[in-house]
Amino acid sequence: MFDKSTRVLVVDDMATMRKLVMKVCADLGFTDVQEAADGEKAWSIINNDPKPIGLVISDWNMPHLTGLDLLKRVRADKRYAGTPFLLVTAEAESSQVTDAVKAGVDNYIVKPFTAATLTEKLEAIHKKRGGAAAA
Amino acid sequence: MAIAERNASSAIQLLTVGLSKEQLTGLAQAFEYCKATHIPMDINLLGSGAIASATEAGSNVKPDLIVVGDPPNQLSLDEIAQTVRMTWPGVTIFSVTRKRSIYFRKRLVKNGFNDAFLYPLEAGALRRAIYVALNKLTGGVVKAYRAVRVADLRVGSTLPCKLAIYLPVNDKYVHFMNGDVEFTAAHVDKLKAHRIQTVYVEIDELASFYAYALTGAKQRDSAAKMSMSERRHRFEDAAREVLGGLFRAEIKLQLEDGQKIVDELFSIIKTYLLDFPSYELPQLILGAMGQPADSYTHPVNVATYGALFAMALEIGNPVDVAMAGLLHDLGEVDVAEEVVLKPVETRNEEETVLYQKHVQATLDLLQEHKLTLTGPVVKAIYQHHEEPEGGGYPTGTIKAGLSKEAQLLTIADRFDYATRWVPGQPVLFADELLDKFRKDMLERKSHMPADPELVKKILGLFPKGGT
Ligand SMILES: [Fe+2]
Ligand SMILES: [Fe+2]
């Protein structure tokens, strides 16, 4: 599993949902959870934060820069090629997930989800990345 | 409510979010079993889970049951579903909306609601769902009931379960008799004396009732597959599953989607309307009469009556009539409820015009869903308010062109309006309802719903003066 001190970035334009996802992260024991209200703000955090972001959990459907756009921007930058990226989608968008897979997403999770499902997804990502990249 | 019920249920915490006054009043009887917190719709409040700040309640609310109303304009019901579900993962959450335009039932369930209801059309189904939830939450202390047919009770048999009766005056169910007791002619007399035609079984005992009633059905016809009560319940539930999805179309519907729905409707008609022992035919009609109107009783009744008239008289295609019967009033969902609920005679001119639009609205909905219906079905739906003398709507001029299926559907439609029980009105027995309908049809000078000869043939199906 991810180290609990991993810096997590939760991105969602809806404040309530952002807080809920952050709470699930806290429930899982993560101690360093950051937040961003849209893709642009998320990008600037990823880009400028002195401590590297070790996990991005981003909503798909956001104004300005969508979750998919953010993913593409992150993957386009060599420095973040290995940053674990989890997309949060709604049921209606889950059919478009192939686009995200092509763009290099690590996994996706459908709202609403439980702490148990998030744990599963994070474990799958950690395993896939050889259990090392995400520290 | 009894002391035991009050004690067990006071522990049930109910949270309603953004319900209208009228919705709260309609559900008041069911909510009496709960410690209720009512808050306006506020997504931030919901997500924080810290509802105490919005109520007089000192501590935080830990709901066991949540009923969510309409969303404010800028928010989607999907997002509300996700938020509420993530805030209270294991809680039973229902949605009730007045807006057809956001009523994607299946999607709302995927997004986190246990079920979603369109108001006021599905108010009855919502009420039943709440009772079922309360029944589970209180470990059976709060009872949830389902109506069964007196025709399924056999004099001289031992009942498999308790029976209750419903008192509409105070919206209460009261004990009628215990299970493990012989059902006797004296019980029949007692029910008759109180003009009771429907008895109620607790939902956890329904399976045993079905088995008992099937034994009786098999005694009459060894090929019987289910009792009348079970058939009726399954038919209504199946109708909601399909019809409940037809109020709003998902954006990109293909012909295959429409075909799938038509196939489902066909299979419902085949299972519940065409495949039954012949002795049930009059019973199906008589048993459906005099019942209170619930969410899908009207389409189910009209399909039943229409198909049975067609089969009994060998006029028209029963499958087409049944299909049209299930779908004919879908468009009413676009007409304001005050107008729909008003008796025809009391609607003013403006309301009448609004109501009459439901025929075209129905056809629009069917097209929106890409339902591939046959010509006779579409024609029957379009003509179900036309009259052979030309006094009906929407055209008022079709006259001789009314199809057999349309006329059967129209009679079935009027028959259901005339023979259903209306709250506040005296309860009539099937033969009394039939007499009333017969009298009305035979004494009519104008506005005959169909060819008078056909009406007479249908009236001839019922034994005169007694059932
Ligand atoms: Fe109608
Ligand atoms: Fe009707």
Side-chain angles (χ1 to χ4, degrees):
Chain A
M1 193 40 174
F2 283 88
D3 191 296
K4 298 303 182 206
S5 62
T6 305
R7 177 160 286 188
V8 182
L9 178 62
V10 174
V11 194
D12 200 308
D13 57 314
M14 201 173 129
T16 312
M17 188 51 74
R18 203 164 65 233
K19 298 287 181 218
L20 277 169
V21 176
M22 290 171 74
K23 188 180 170 292
V24 178
C25 290
D27 289 348
L28 292 184
F30 285 100
T31 52
D32 187 1
V33 185
Q34 309 290 311
E35 59 182 306
D38 63 48
E40 288 291 357
K41 291 198 182 96
W43 174 243
S44 103
I45 291 176
I46 293 169
N47 230 355
N48 298 318
D49 216 328
K51 181 178 168 187
I53 298 292
L55 170 64
V56 181
I57 302 178
S58 172
D59 186 31
W60 179 306
N61 184 14
M62 295 182 294
H64 313 308
L65 200 65
T66 68
L68 183 62
D69 296 336
L70 175 65
L71 169 70
K72 284 176 179 165
R73 201 179 279 187
V74 166
R75 286 290 178 260
D77 190 318
K78 275 205 299 287
R79 291 173 295 166
Y80 311 120
T83 304
F85 201 112
L86 177 70
L87 256 182
V88 180
T89 78
E91 176 58 36
E93 300 144 13
S94 57
S95 57
Q96 311 160 20
V97 158
T98 40
D99 296 343
V101 173
K102 272 186 219 147
V105 79
D106 288 270
N107 214 322
Y108 73 97
I109 190 165
V110 180
K111 286 182 284 190
F113 55 85
T114 58
T117 318
L118 183 61
T119 307
E120 264 170 47
K121 298 282 180 182
L122 294 184
E123 271 169 5
I125 294 176
H126 193 59
K127 219 169 138 191
K128 192 174 129 202
R129 293 210 167 253
Chain B
M1 120 176 70
I3 308 271
E5 286 175 345
R6 192 178 290 281
N7 287 345
S9 58
S10 59
I12 302 298
Q13 293 228 23
L14 163 80
L15 173 66
T16 76
V17 187
L19 292 198
S20 71
K21 258 203 190 121
E22 184 201 354
Q23 289 169 331
L24 287 172
T25 311
L27 294 167
Q29 198 64 47
F31 289 171
E32 203 185 293
Y33 294 103
C34 313
K35 187 170 175 294
T37 305
H38 306 294
I39 60 167
M41 175 63 76
D42 180 336
I43 190 79
N44 294 319
L45 202 61
L46 283 177
S48 71
I51 291 163
S53 57
T55 66
E56 305 91 73
S59 61
N60 216 344
V61 177
K62 287 203 181 62
D64 305 294
L65 173 65
I66 305 173
V67 184
V68 178
D70 274 320
N73 279 336
Q74 67 282 16
L75 265 180
S76 83
L77 201 48
D78 288 339
E79 284 174 311
I80 290 170
Q82 294 157 8
T83 307
V84 180
R85 173 54 67 210
M86 287 186 67
T87 311
W88 290 286
V91 176
T92 302
I93 310 170
F94 295 134
S95 146
V96 48
T97 176
R98 310 168 156 276
K99 301 179 186 167
R100 175 173 90 84
S101 59
I102 56 171
Y103 185 66
F104 298 93
R105 181 166 170 238
K106 285 191 179 129
R107 201 171 90 191
L108 291 171
V109 168
K110 277 185 186 155
N111 276 304
F113 293 129
N114 291 75
D115 204 345
F117 302 86
L118 188 63
Y119 193 88
L121 183 91
E122 298 186 327
L126 168 67
R127 239 172 73 99
R128 202 158 49 235
I130 288 174
Y131 271 106
V132 170
L134 290 176
N135 176 267
K136 278 203 196 109
L137 287 167
T138 59
V141 176
V142 172
K143 310 287 184 216
Y145 295 95
R146 193 126 194 207
V148 301
R149 311 211 163 179
V150 172
D152 271 332
L153 302 172
R154 305 187 303 282
V155 170
S157 67
T158 304
L159 287 180
C161 58
K162 299 180 287 297
L163 296 180
I165 52 176
Y166 176 67
L167 303 180
V169 190
N170 36 13
D171 191 16
K172 282 271 157 67
Y173 295 90
V174 295
H175 181 77
F176 177 65
M177 66 186 293
N178 277 321
D180 286 329
V181 173
E182 189 183 320
F183 184 72
T184 64
H187 290 120
V188 176
D189 292 344
K190 198 170 160 192
L191 288 172
K192 270 211 180 121
H194 289 90
R195 304 192 77 79
I196 289 162
Q197 301 168 85
T198 312
V199 289
Y200 292 81
V201 169
E202 288 177 25
I203 47 157
D204 356 357
E205 298 187 321
L206 259 186
S208 67
F209 183 84
Y210 288 161
Y212 156 87
L214 179 60
T215 309
K218 278 189 190 286
Q219 282 168 9
R220 284 184 272 195
D221 182 337
S222 58
K225 287 178 192 141
M226 57 188 129
S227 65
M228 280 180 284
S229 298
E230 184 177 6
R231 177 187 302 279
R232 178 73 191 190
H233 294 163
R234 289 188 189 280
F235 190 4
E236 281 188 11
D237 293 348
R240 172 163 194 250
E241 282 306 314
V242 183
L243 300 180
L246 290 181
F247 299 120
R248 183 72 183 93
E250 293 273 2
I251 309 110
K252 278 176 266 163
L253 275 184
Q254 312 290 331
L255 278 175
E256 301 94 81
D257 301 312
Q259 190 56 52
K260 219 183 118 216
I261 294 165
V262 174
D263 290 346
E264 281 170 32
L265 288 166
F266 266 128
S267 124
I268 289 174
I269 291 169
K270 191 174 162 296
T271 313
Y272 303 112
L273 274 181
L274 304 181
D275 186 20
F276 55 83
S278 57
Y279 74 85
E280 278 189 17
L281 203 135
Q283 285 298 339
L284 280 170
I285 295 186
L286 297 173
M289 292 165 62
Q291 308 281 334
D294 196 353
S295 310
Y296 294 93
T297 43
H298 181 60
V300 163
N301 282 351
V302 173
T304 304
Y305 299 144
L308 296 183
F309 294 161
M311 282 189 271
L313 298 175
E314 298 186 3
I315 293 174
N317 180 341
V319 178
D320 286 346
V321 181
M323 181 72 82
L326 286 174
L327 299 170
H328 76 285
D329 275 338
L330 272 183
E332 273 190 3
V333 79
D334 280 344
V335 183
E337 64 177 292
E338 313 87 78
V339 179
V340 174
L341 295 178
K342 254 190 183 178
V344 186
E345 320 81 67
T346 63
R347 286 180 197 139
N348 64 33
E349 205 172 311
E350 191 188 344
E351 290 165 336
T352 302
V353 170
L354 279 175
Y355 182 73
Q356 295 187 349
K357 286 188 175 158
H358 83 274
V359 176
Q360 188 56 48
T362 300
L363 293 177
D364 292 346
L365 267 179
L366 299 178
Q367 203 174 27
E368 198 182 314
H369 286 273
K370 302 242 171 30
L371 295 205
T372 40
L373 299 167
T374 62
V377 174
V378 176
K379 200 167 177 183
I381 293 171
Y382 186 65
Q383 297 183 342
H384 84 268
H385 285 287
E386 298 285 357
E387 291 163 9
E389 287 157 34
Y393 61 89
T395 74
T397 56
I398 293 185
K399 295 193 177 181
L402 295 181
S403 75
K404 289 277 178 277
E405 284 81 9
Q407 297 190 59
L408 290 167
L409 174 66
T410 308
I411 300 171
D413 191 33
R414 302 305 176 278
F415 188 76
D416 189 47
Y417 281 115
T419 63
R420 70 176 157 196
W421 176 72
V422 182
Q425 302 226 332
V427 176
L428 296 179
F429 284 118
D431 50 349
E432 297 165 323
L433 289 165
L434 269 173
D435 281 345
K436 206 179 96 188
F437 183 70
R438 182 181 284 124
K439 204 164 167 250
D440 173 33
M441 284 299 136
L442 296 180
E443 287 175 3
R444 239 167 226 247
K445 296 276 175 292
S446 63
H447 290 299
M448 271 309 260
D451 175 2
E453 286 309 307
L454 182 62
V455 174
K456 273 193 195 128
K457 276 187 193 159
I458 285 172
L459 292 174
L461 290 174
F462 303 103
K464 202 168 175 182
T467 47

